[in-house]
Amino acid sequence: MKIALLTCEKLPNLNPEDQKIIPALAKYNIEASAVIWSDKTINWTDFDYLIFRNTWDYFEKETEFKIWLDQIEKLGIKTLNPIEVIKHNIHKFYLREMEQQGITILPTVFMDKTDTLNLTEVLPSHWKKAVIKPAFSAGSYLTEVFEVSQIQAITKKYKSIAAEKELLLQEFMPEIQTLGETSFIFFNKKFSHAVNKKPVDGDFRVQSLFGGKYTLVQPSAELIEKAQKVVNTFQEKLLYARVDGILIDEELFLMEIECIEPDLYFNLSENSLNRFVTAIVELIA
């Protein structure tokens, strides 16, 4: 059994935590290796499975990534998570479908591509502050938070982006700066662990790249069940899913469900790597 752990040019050998997957799988006689998804020299049919791990440049190479996904699909190569899940999850308009299925999401305006961007027209009147970002993005790429008083400047700044990309406009929740964001991690649709991520003072971005502080937490059974409900909207099997949300008064406001290449915080939760590898073995058996 040969498995490619997909990564990007910036991390040709995977990040340090994901590198540990390789010897862990070897114990099951599974040969795993780090492979750059955009490497044109790779013969993908050499692999039995592809696992998306550190493909952290896909949103910067949108067209190339979509073409590559189509290529893998045509070749019939099995992937974890499945290609149809990846294709759907890379575009954050899936949140609209989640809401229609009864999931509580952050208050969001979904904006199609337009040559005549007018944020004043679409911004709900009771919002005081908002976040704008492309629907095809990750890691705070082209993401800005702004006060209503700045709406003209932001409209001007995003005018050319709106002509090329669908956008999300979300109400800014001040709790992100105090309570932070909580990630619920699931392997094979079973809850594994949860991590709270708080931004540095004065920022809203929780990524460690921007100084965010990560802490292992134990959510209540009720909150885990709410995150499980999000995961259960998927009919397909999932190797992993990371449910990111803000917890306000014991309500989970979904920000996104990451099924592409999320950090799974193996370093923060004991035995989580083993649980992940067990899930791989269960799904390819």
Coordinates of all heavy atoms in Angstrom, one line a residue, residues 46 73 98 126 140 146 149 174 190 198 272:
D46 N 1.0 5.9 -9.3 CA 1.9 5.1 -8.4 C 1.3 4.9 -7.0 O 1.8 4.0 -6.3 CB 3.3 5.7 -8.3 CG 4.1 5.6 -9.6 OD1 3.7 4.8 -10.5 OD2 5.1 6.4 -9.7
E73 N -9.3 13.1 -10.3 CA -10.6 12.5 -10.4 C -10.7 11.6 -11.6 O -11.2 10.5 -11.5 CB -11.7 13.6 -10.4 CG -13.1 13.1 -10.2 CD -14.1 14.2 -9.9 OE1 -13.9 15.3 -10.5 OE2 -15.0 14.0 -9.2
M98 N -25.1 24.9 4.7 CA -25.1 24.4 6.1 C -26.2 25.1 6.9 O -26.9 24.5 7.6 CB -23.7 24.8 6.8 CG -22.6 24.0 6.3 SD -22.5 22.5 7.3 CE -21.1 21.6 6.4
H126 N -27.8 47.0 10.9 CA -27.5 46.9 12.4 C -26.1 46.5 12.7 O -25.6 46.5 13.8 CB -28.5 46.0 13.1 CG -28.4 44.6 12.6 ND1 -29.0 44.2 11.4 CD2 -27.8 43.4 13.1 CE1 -28.8 42.9 11.2 NE2 -28.1 42.4 12.2
S140 N -6.6 33.7 6.5 CA -6.8 35.2 6.5 C -6.3 35.8 5.2 O -6.0 37.0 5.1 CB -6.1 35.8 7.7 OG -6.8 35.5 8.9
F146 N -13.4 45.7 9.2 CA -13.6 47.1 9.0 C -14.8 47.6 9.8 O -15.8 46.9 10.0 CB -13.7 47.5 7.5 CG -14.9 46.9 6.8 CD1 -16.1 47.7 6.7 CD2 -14.9 45.7 6.3 CE1 -17.2 47.1 6.1 CE2 -16.0 45.1 5.6 CZ -17.2 45.9 5.5
S149 N -17.8 52.9 9.2 CA -17.3 54.2 8.7 C -16.3 54.1 7.6 O -16.0 55.0 6.9 CB -16.8 55.0 9.9 OG -15.7 54.3 10.5
P174 N -17.2 40.5 18.4 CA -16.1 40.9 19.3 C -15.6 39.7 20.2 O -14.5 39.8 20.7 CB -16.7 42.0 20.2 CG -18.2 41.8 20.0 CD -18.4 41.2 18.7
K190 N -15.5 10.8 14.2 CA -15.6 10.6 15.7 C -14.8 11.8 16.3 O -13.7 12.1 15.9 CB -15.0 9.3 16.1 CG -15.7 8.1 15.6 CD -15.2 6.8 16.2 CE -15.4 5.6 15.4 NZ -14.6 5.4 14.2
K198 N -6.7 31.9 20.5 CA -7.0 33.3 20.8 C -6.0 34.2 20.1 O -4.8 33.9 20.0 CB -6.9 33.6 22.3 CG -8.2 33.1 23.0 CD -8.1 33.4 24.5 CE -9.4 32.9 25.2 NZ -9.2 32.9 26.6
S272 N -3.4 11.8 19.7 CA -4.3 12.2 18.6 C -3.7 11.7 17.3 O -4.5 11.3 16.4 CB -4.5 13.7 18.6 OG -3.3 14.4 18.5

